[in-house]
Amino acid sequence: MSDKTMSADEAVARLESGMTLGIGGWGSRRKPMALVRALLRTDVTDLTVVSYGGPDVGLLAAAGRIRELVTAFTTLDSIPLEPHYRAARESGAFELTEVDEAMFMWGLHAAANRLPFLPVRAGIGSDVMRVNPGLRTVTSPYEDGETFVAMPALRLDAALVHMNRADRAGNGQYLGPDPYFDDLFCEAADTAYVSCEQLVDHLGTAAPGKEAAPQTLLLNRSSVTGVVEAPNGAHFTSCAPDYVRDEPFQKLYATTPYERFAERFLAGDEQAYQSAVRTWHKEGR
Amino acid sequence: MNPVPAITRAEYCVIACAEAWRDDGEVLASPMGTIPSIGARLARRTFSPDLLMTDGEALLVGLDGTPEGWLPYRRHLTAVTGGRRHVMMGASQIDRFGNQNISCVGDWARPLRQLLGVRGAPVNTLNNPTSYWIPKHSRRVFVARVDMVCGVGYDRAAAAGPSATRFHRIPRVVSDLGVFDFATLDRSMRLASLHPGVTVEEVREATGFELSVAADVPYTREPTPLERELIRTVIDPGGARDREVVDPAPRTGEAGR
C-alpha cells in the first residue's frame, strides 16, 4: 500500500484556482481547519465551495477566495450567524447556490454513486426553486406519478475532511458521535485530503475492542488521496471526543475584523497559528 | 404556606408548545428554541410518553439524558423524509399561509441582512409536521409576504401539486401572544387561542396581515398542578423560559378580548 502522508501545504499545493472544493464537517463541528488555513496561505482562488458551512466558509469568504458557494446554511452553532459570511453576502461578494440540507445530501449521494441526479421531496413549493432557476423536476415513472426535484450531483474536484485518526494509506476513523457527511464528500470527489488528529499504523485490530468498532472506520483508502497529520487541526471547531469547540476563541474570531485576526493568527504556518492561540489563551484573552 | 406564584406568560407558551406533540406517538420531537424544548420534555413526561428526543447532537436520549439510540444528521434526515418526526422551528418571517423565512431579509440576490440560510425548512415542510415558535410576536415577523420562502406554506404547497401536499402539515404556530392554526377554508392563519392576559386587539396590532378570528376565541389552557410543578422544579428550575419570554408588566383594567 502506498504511503499517502503529506504535509498540509503539500496537500493544498495540489488545489488549483477555479476548482470545486467540498469541505466536510457541519457548521462549527469537525471542520478541516488546518487544511483551510493552509489553503489561505496559497494563491488559490475563484473556488466553488460546497459545504454545510461554518468558519471554513467564513474564512474563505473573508479572504475573497470564493467565486460560488453551494450551501444550505452557514453558522458557528453557538454563534448562530457567521459574521464574515454575512458581510460577504450582504456585499454581493460571491454567487450563492442555496439548497436545502437534504437536497445537498442527495447531491453528494448522486455524485458518490455517479448518477446525474437523485429525486428528492424537497425544494418544490419553496423559493429554492426561484433562486436556482437551473433546478429541474422529475416525474416518477411508476403509477404514483409524483413530481420531485432532480437534485443534480455535487461532483467535487477535491474534498477536505478532518478525522480523529487515520493511517498512512488513507483509511480514516471518526470517534465522535456523528460522521456528518465526510465519507460522502470523499466519495463525491476526484481527490480527497484527510487531516487527522493522530496518524496511526493500524486503525483496526484482529480482535476489535470498543475503540476499534468497525463502523467508526468511516473513510476507506480508495477514496482518499492524501493524509495529513494535524493535531488540533479542527481548532477552533469541535472534534469530539478529542476536544470541544474553543468557544472563547470562536468569539474572538467572530468579533475581530478579518484583517486583524489574520495578521495575528494566520500570518505564519500551522505551528505559528497553534502557538499564537496558546499565547492568546495564556494572556487571559 | 406561601401562595403558589401565578402562571407566567412563558409557562402558557410552554403548555402551548407541549400541546403540539400531543397524540404524535412514537416520533422524534425536534424543538428549536428554549420554550419548545421545555414543552417537548413536558409532553414526554406527561401526555406523550412515547416521543423520541435527542441530546441536540447525535444521540437519542431518555428523560435523564441516558442514550437510548443513535441519530446522526443523515439519519435525522431519514426521520424527516420518513415522516417520523414533528419539528417546531423558528421563523424570522412568517406569512398568512404559513410560509416561513430564515434565509435572509431583503432581496435574496443582495440581502439587506443575511440570516442562517434555508437549512432543512424546505424538506421539513414537505415531509413531516412542522410547527413554528415565535418568541416575540410582531409585524416584523408576521409579515404580508416573506422575502424568501424556506418553509412551505399551505398556498405554495397547493400550487406545487400533490407531491408537495401529500405529507405537508403545519399543525400550529405558537407565539408569546397566542396559538395559531390553519383550520380555515382557505388554509390561512387563524387565532386558535389567546394566552391569558392578551387581547385580540393586541394580536391584530402585532400582525402584519389579516388574521382569521373566531367569534369566541378561547384562552390557552392552564397547566395542571403536576405540569406546573414539572416545569418549575424538574424541567426548567433555572427559569430559562422566563428569559426567552419575559412576563409582561401587569396591565391595568380588565383582560378583555
Side-chain angles (χ1 to χ4, degrees):
Chain A
M1 278 184 288
S2 53
D3 185 328
K4 294 177 187 164
T5 54
M6 56 180 71
S7 69
D9 290 326
E10 284 168 339
V12 296
R14 301 184 180 206
L15 305 180
E16 289 168 25
S17 294
M19 274 189 167
T20 297
L21 179 65
I23 304 179
W26 173 283
S28 193
R29 300 166 196 202
R30 216 176 66 229
K31 283 287 175 180
M33 297 300 281
L35 294 174
V36 170
R37 286 187 284 266
L39 179 55
L40 289 169
R41 293 194 293 271
T42 69
D43 295 328
V44 173
T45 190
D46 204 31
L47 292 166
T48 294
V49 172
V50 179
S51 175
Y52 286 110
D56 52 332
V57 168
L59 283 167
L60 292 169
R65 306 302 182 91
I66 302 179
R67 181 178 58 77
E68 185 187 348
L69 176 68
V70 181
T71 195
F73 60 81
T74 299
T75 179
L76 298 173
D77 295 332
S78 54
I79 299 172
L81 303 178
E82 219 295 344
H84 301 312
Y85 167 67
R86 296 191 78 182
R89 270 285 284 155
E90 289 165 15
S91 68
F94 51 72
E95 289 173 46
L96 178 65
T97 294
E98 185 171 6
V99 294
D100 167 274
E101 286 168 13
M103 296 171 74
F104 188 112
M105 178 183 75
W106 288 119
L108 290 178
H109 270 293
N113 289 282
R114 300 192 296 184
L115 291 169
F117 71 89
L118 276 169
V120 51
R121 192 192 304 279
I124 52 172
S126 79
D127 276 341
V128 163
M129 303 307 280
R130 171 173 66 88
V131 303
N132 295 289
L135 279 178
R136 297 285 175 263
T137 57
V138 61
T139 303
S140 166
Y142 299 105
E143 275 174 24
D144 55 270
E146 283 201 61
T147 299
F148 303 100
V149 167
M151 178 62 199
L154 291 172
R155 192 70 206 171
L156 312 168
D157 292 311
L160 308 178
V161 303
H162 186 74
M163 292 285 112
N164 299 94
R165 300 204 291 199
D167 66 19
R168 292 174 180 277
N171 297 298
Q173 180 178 37
Y174 80 109
L175 298 170
D178 203 312
Y180 307 118
F181 301 85
D182 289 0
D183 48 338
L184 278 177
F185 274 100
C186 293
E187 289 161 7
D190 294 339
T191 58
Y193 301 94
V194 181
S195 57
C196 61
E197 289 298 310
Q198 191 191 2
L199 190 65
V200 296
D201 288 332
H202 299 286
L203 288 173
T205 66
K210 279 179 194 166
E211 221 187 58
Q215 65 272 25
T216 64
L217 306 176
L218 187 65
L219 310 181
N220 84 59
R221 58 190 167 82
S222 68
S223 61
V224 172
T225 313
V227 179
V228 176
E229 188 169 33
N232 213 33
H235 183 270
F236 48 87
T237 71
S238 63
C239 186
D242 289 306
Y243 44 89
V244 297
R245 185 178 306 125
D246 186 344
E247 297 286 359
F249 192 83
Q250 173 164 288
K251 194 173 170 197
L252 174 80
Y253 160 80
T255 53
T256 308
Y258 176 72
E259 291 70 25
R260 223 165 76 208
F261 179 86
E263 197 182 323
R264 175 156 186 192
F265 296 104
L266 303 175
D269 60 9
E270 179 69 8
Q271 241 182 334
Y273 169 81
Q274 298 287 352
S275 158
V277 171
R278 278 193 299 273
T279 304
W280 180 79
H281 274 293
K282 264 187 217 141
E283 282 170 2
R285 303 152 200 171
Chain B
M1 200 176 104
N2 294 323
V4 178
I7 308 296
T8 65
R9 179 70 56 79
E11 288 164 345
Y12 285 112
C13 294
V14 166
I15 291 296
C17 289
E19 285 288 341
W21 286 286
R22 187 183 283 276
D23 301 326
D24 272 359
E26 213 158 24
V27 305
L28 178 70
S30 287
M32 300 183 189
T34 301
I35 284 177
S37 299
I38 298 166
R41 277 179 279 166
L42 182 69
R44 176 156 172 185
R45 277 188 185 274
T46 54
F47 50 78
S48 291
D50 293 334
L51 288 175
L52 302 166
M53 305 198 67
T54 76
D55 64 348
E57 297 281 338
L59 296 176
L60 291 165
V61 292
L63 286 168
D64 62 354
T66 310
E68 63 163 313
W70 185 50
L71 200 77
Y73 281 111
R74 66 178 78 176
R75 290 179 70 159
H76 207 121
L77 286 170
T78 307
V80 172
T81 49
R84 291 188 185 85
R85 177 175 182 255
H86 181 169
V87 60
M88 183 174 274
M89 297 186 81
S92 304
Q93 296 177 329
I94 192 165
D95 74 14
R96 188 163 167 250
F97 292 100
N99 296 293
Q100 168 253 28
N101 175 22
I102 46 171
S103 171
C104 66
V105 175
D107 178 17
W108 178 87
R110 183 78 183 265
L112 289 172
R113 285 179 71 73
Q114 175 64 42
L115 305 173
L116 270 179
V118 295
R119 290 217 75 147
V123 72
N124 286 345
T125 41
L126 262 53
N127 290 277
N128 62 193
T130 304
S131 293
Y132 293 104
W133 160 244
I134 291 139
K136 201 165 170 23
H137 195 127
S138 76
R139 283 173 177 261
R140 278 182 55 185
V141 181
F142 288 77
V143 294
R145 193 168 176 277
V146 305
D147 291 330
M148 168 89 180
V149 175
C150 304
V152 179
Y154 279 99
D155 58 338
R156 295 279 296 239
S163 189
T165 55
R166 189 168 173 196
F167 304 115
H168 178 268
R169 191 159 71 89
I170 308 175
R172 63 174 54 197
V173 176
V174 180
S175 80
D176 59 332
L177 299 184
V179 179
F180 307 84
D181 64 19
F182 299 88
T184 49
L185 285 177
D186 65 350
R187 311 312 305 264
S188 63
M189 201 185 286
R190 180 188 80 131
L191 176 59
S193 76
L194 285 165
H195 300 328
V198 181
T199 66
V200 169
E201 203 38 54
E202 209 178 322
V203 175
R204 281 202 167 119
E205 197 56 43
T207 304
F209 52 81
E210 203 188 327
L211 205 55
S212 294
V213 181
D216 191 21
V217 183
Y219 282 117
T220 305
R221 77 167 173 87
E222 302 284 321
T224 65
L226 171 67
E227 288 171 336
R228 195 183 59 205
E229 194 64 17
L230 285 171
I231 295 168
R232 292 180 180 180
T233 65
V234 179
I235 302 172
D236 183 33
R241 63 192 180 283
D242 295 316
R243 290 189 290 278
E244 191 168 49
V245 169
V246 177
D247 218 40
R251 294 155 57 89
T252 50
E254 297 297 301
R257 298 194 206 182

